[in-house]
Amino acid sequence: MVHTSVSFQASIDAIKAALPENLQKPRVGIVCGSGLSGIVDIFRDTKLVPYENIPGFSKSTVQGHKSFLAFGLLGEGGVPVVAMLGRFHPYEGHHLSSVVYPIRVMAKMGVKDLIITNAAGSLNPAIPVGTIVVVQDHLALPNLTGMNPLLGPHTDPELPRFLPLSDAYSPVLRRLLFLAAHRLQLEDSALAEGTYAWVSGPTYESPAEGRFLRRVGADVVGMSTVPEVLAAREEGLNVMVLSLVTNFVVIPETYRSIKEEVKAELAGKKVELPEAETVSHEEVLAIGKEKAGVLMKLVESVVNDL
Ligand SMILES: O=P(O)(O)O[C@@H]1C[C@H](O)[C@@H](CO)O1
């Protein structure tokens, strides 16, 4: 799908037609990761707009993702916000321009700050399951090899052609996050800082891939977020990313040697078969459900302080 200023205006008109006046200019955008859409429960004056009613929007097909934009007021100050209850991943077959289309629409509606959440696997033994990682950098092999949402003709002279990424993750928003954690009396170990590796999915990492990502400096890995960050930065938004660690990436130090096992078996030894460790989307969603409350409170508190 080719997105033009005409299609953006059509999307915005359709959205605004479904909203009361006080929700039409959201200040903060939120993208909800797998199983993390519960934040809408603490919005006030909530209005849901189904993606199917918005020209240019696709439909999210992943379990744990809905297909609504949720508008409402958040925090004591009643900050107008918009949340994507469900995102688009390239592995679902969405073109990268469709993946980032809602981000551009949010920016064109007036959003200034974007808080992106996701579920991610930990590559770092010091970052256990349940930790919220405040992303400070990313490693995006797809971007480096030609799968970059900003590829293509430079049609909007208002946007930069060559986007720097050294300052992609706002220190201002991250500071507010850690102050919020202090106010909420979270334990120090509840939060970590780290680098998010973006992979296309939908396969989880092989052990060698996990080891590679760890060695090149990634702390967590996931299948989303980076395209959204790029589009948001191109649109001039301040961005913060919170990754909820839902599993460890399986990175064995040594491999089971079938060759040696067969030798042992032929020599008459009984060979114990170890249970294979794997990760599943069900596990990802279960941890999301368990920890969504903390994430929600942190986001509310940051929005309150903006
Ligand atoms: O949308 P997010 O990044 O939170 O979802 C993660 C990555 C995959 O879509 C899925 C794998 O379990 O969860």
Side-chain angles (χ1 to χ4, degrees), residues 32-36 62 65 87 89 91 117-120 196 202 204 222-225 246-247 280-282 284-285:
C32 299
S34 283
L36 299 171
V62 185
H65 289 259
R87 60 151 57 93
H89 307 83
Y91 67 72
T117 66
N118 62 54
Y196 176 95
Y204 291 112
M223 306 175 195
S224 67
T225 299
T246 52
N247 57 283
S280 72
H281 190 55
E282 286 65 37
V284 168
L285 292 179

Side-chain angles (χ1 to χ4, degrees), residues 1 3 7-8 10-12 14-15 51-57 101 105:
M1 184 184 308
H3 299 295
S7 62
F8 285 118
S11 303
I12 293 170
I15 294 168
Y51 290 169
E52 62 191 343
N53 293 355
I54 312 174
F57 273 54
Y101 186 76
V105 168

Side-chain angles (χ1 to χ4, degrees), residues 57-269:
F57 273 54
S58 309
K59 192 170 168 22
S60 182
T61 61
V62 185
Q63 197 195 350
H65 289 259
K66 300 174 182 159
S67 283
F68 293 97
L69 279 186
F71 290 80
L73 305 176
L74 185 60
E76 284 159 30
V79 178
V81 297
V82 51
M84 284 181 71
L85 307 186
R87 60 151 57 93
F88 310 127
H89 307 83
Y91 67 72
E92 295 171 77
H94 301 298
H95 190 270
L96 277 171
S97 66
S98 302
V99 169
V100 302
Y101 186 76
I103 305 294
R104 298 196 187 282
V105 168
M106 289 195 259
K108 292 175 199 311
M109 289 188 78
V111 164
K112 297 283 174 264
D113 298 296
L114 184 67
I115 302 174
I116 300 178
T117 66
N118 62 54
S122 175
L123 298 154
N124 182 342
I127 303 183
V129 171
T131 310
I132 293 169
V133 176
V134 183
V135 173
Q136 58 193 11
D137 198 357
H138 72 231
L139 171 73
L141 296 178
N143 282 352
L144 298 177
T145 53
M147 191 174 156
N148 186 315
L150 309 191
L151 284 175
H154 187 228
T155 49
D156 187 344
E158 299 288 315
L159 303 181
R161 172 73 286 194
F162 300 103
L163 181 73
L165 289 177
S166 46
D167 60 349
Y169 298 89
S170 163
V172 175
L173 292 178
R174 287 188 276 152
R175 177 176 170 275
L176 290 182
L177 194 276
F178 284 104
L179 289 174
H182 175 73
R183 225 174 12 249
L184 292 167
Q185 300 185 326
L186 296 190
E187 287 189 15
D188 189 59
S189 60
L191 296 182
E193 296 178 280
T195 296
Y196 176 95
W198 174 42
V199 295
S200 79
T203 43
Y204 291 112
E205 296 63 44
S206 70
E209 287 162 351
R211 223 170 12 246
F212 168 74
L213 292 172
R214 178 70 197 133
R215 292 208 177 135
V216 292
D219 297 292
V220 288
V221 54
M223 306 175 195
S224 67
T225 299
V226 170
E228 297 155 7
V229 171
L230 265 51
R233 291 300 296 153
E234 189 182 44
E235 297 283 344
L237 305 188
N238 305 312
V239 173
M240 175 167 67
V241 172
L242 304 175
S243 292
L244 173 63
V245 173
T246 52
N247 57 283
F248 264 120
V249 175
V250 181
I251 315 179
E253 279 308 312
T254 52
Y255 285 88
R256 172 183 163 200
S257 167
I258 305 295
K259 184 178 177 187
E260 294 308 318
E261 282 177 16
V262 169
K263 274 196 218 161
E265 196 183 322
L266 293 175
K269 284 196 196 129

